[in-house]
Amino acid sequence: MTELPQSPRLSPGRLEDLLTDVNGLSPGMSDQARMRSLLQAVLTIGGDLDLATVLRRLTEMAARLAGARYAGLGVVDEDGGFSEFIPVGITREQGEQIARFPHGKGVLAAPLYGRSPLRLSDLRDHADFGGFPEGHPQMSTFLGVPIQVRGEVFGNLYLTEKTDGGEFDEEDEAVVTALATAAGVAIENARLYEEARLRERWLTASTEITTRLLSGAAADEVLAYLAEQAREIGGADTAVVLLPDPRARGHLFAEIADGPVAQEILGTPVEIHTSACGQVYESGEPMSVPDLRQANCPMLTHRGYGPGLLVPLGTPGNTRGVLLLGKLSERAPFPAAVRRMLHSFSVQAGIALELAEARRDTERLVVLEERDRIAKDLHDVVIQRLFASAMTLMSTMRLITSQEAGERVQRTIDELDATIREIRSTIFALQNPPSRQDTSLRGRILKLAENTAHSLGCHPGVSLDGPIDASVPDEVGEQLLAVLGEALSNVARHAHATEVHVSVSVEETATTGRPTTLALTVTDNGVGLPEEGRRSGLRNLDDRARALGGGFSARRGETGGTVLTWKVPVPDDGTPPFDTFQ
């Protein structure tokens, strides 16, 4: 069989000439019937604005007008392959047996490059024929017609196997070409409508993200919504938000995921310097990936994912993360319209994240300023008045002749002194930013005491006094935590106590107010230390104190139980004492 002559190059403006050609063909069908069938097909195709419906109707009408058993329409992407293929004449059972549908290569690409119809008596004789995929029906006669929209090839329309067993002729070619030309207008309208609807969905999602962030919603919640919307609107199977972790430099981590494998990929790391995700993160530019296996993205590739789309969250130079969309390997790549809109969407989301973070920083600064003001008021007003009251009572003591009255006044003075210490401790806590509370020495002492509650059988009371965070060096603080942990462990193993109290204080000189000694006291109401017996478990505590120039003691309490006291000197770092608070 030989290849039939090709028709001249098609121009969209030749629709009237094509209709005239149709009238002059096929004496077996009246002109009126031929024109009625073609115009009815055009009206049917243009009767819907849904692009998928328009394309399927066009394929079905072309098969009906040309009397073809099989038909297919391939939508061409930017790379010249098919981003979508619509088959007609193949049952669902047959489609499930086909290994893959055409990708727009070989003989199917000829109408695209030539921009003109192609008729073959046997497509297997064409030089570019590459064979049929496994499970594909055998075909011979062939007619391919390009579909042009505004002078650009939108796709190719293919017809095979005439139902009467003959070959496609000039009449078939003219009718299908006229139909494809007329359908170009309907396709353009449907495509514009679809892009407008898609753009509206992206804008709605972007507005919702901005509103949620600026109204105080948690960033994780908003990122989860972002991933969900990007997956649904972009037509992806899985969406992943990858964010950097300051504790593990050089990697991005899957912090948010949406899709059927979301729970399986959460927390998966991706190297920044060797992956496409890292390249997008560092450059701030989006990237389309035909096959994720070539992007060093193992979280999806071994689960059957192929086409991918990577977009930065933010702007170049200020990227906060990467949004990864993936499709299963048998699906077509992401269309150009989706790539453009998703990039704009991600940039707006990144800016919204930045604005929300700036707003949270401003709110945090306001809180810190308020905490600082409260601390100053407590120091400059409350403590000074309490201190003055205590001094007045002390000077009154020598005027009291009654022993009972003197004891009451002394107890009041002691209570005022304890109150002043508690307020000073509160002031030091107020001066520590909330973001540092968990890593401060105070925070670590509280956390250590809380973590031992289960083994102790009770929640230990904790008293913190003095500038613990400001004056205790890191190495001394580490030793303090080790001693506290060992002391509480000893209580849990041996004391059988129902009450445990921990006191940590920084003692200061009366004249200068400078810190001099760090003291730890652990008290319990347990069985107490034995009169005779091994105390080797306490030697380590004593050794730690001596290594820092301090001391350690363990004794029975006045009413029972045990009192452990660990004291070490605090080196003077030259900073102003607390009383010079400004």
Side-chain angles (χ1 to χ4, degrees), residues 231-244:
R231 184 182 69 85
E232 292 181 358
I233 303 176
D237 295 298
T238 294
V240 186
V241 176
L242 298 133
L243 301 175

Side-chain angles (χ1 to χ4, degrees), residues 452 456-462 484 487-488 491-492 495-503 521-526 562:
T452 58
L456 289 172
C458 64
H459 285 276
V462 181
L484 176 58
L488 293 176
V491 173
H496 305 290
T498 59
E499 293 183 10
V500 182
H501 185 77
V502 176
S503 174
T521 304
V522 179
T523 307
D524 67 71
N525 66 346
T562 305

Side-chain angles (χ1 to χ4, degrees), residues 89-143:
I90 296 177
T91 63
R92 177 178 299 180
E93 292 75 14
Q94 289 175 322
E96 293 175 351
Q97 295 176 0
I98 299 176
R100 63 171 179 82
F101 280 103
H103 289 175
K105 307 299 180 182
V107 65
L108 298 186
L112 168 66
Y113 296 130
R115 293 203 174 194
S116 60
L118 173 66
R119 280 188 293 125
L120 300 172
S121 57
D122 193 334
L123 61 87
R124 292 169 294 187
D125 293 336
H126 194 276
D128 294 331
F129 177 72
F132 295 109
E134 181 180 353
H136 195 284
Q138 295 297 313
M139 301 174 180
S140 57
T141 55
F142 175 85
L143 172 60

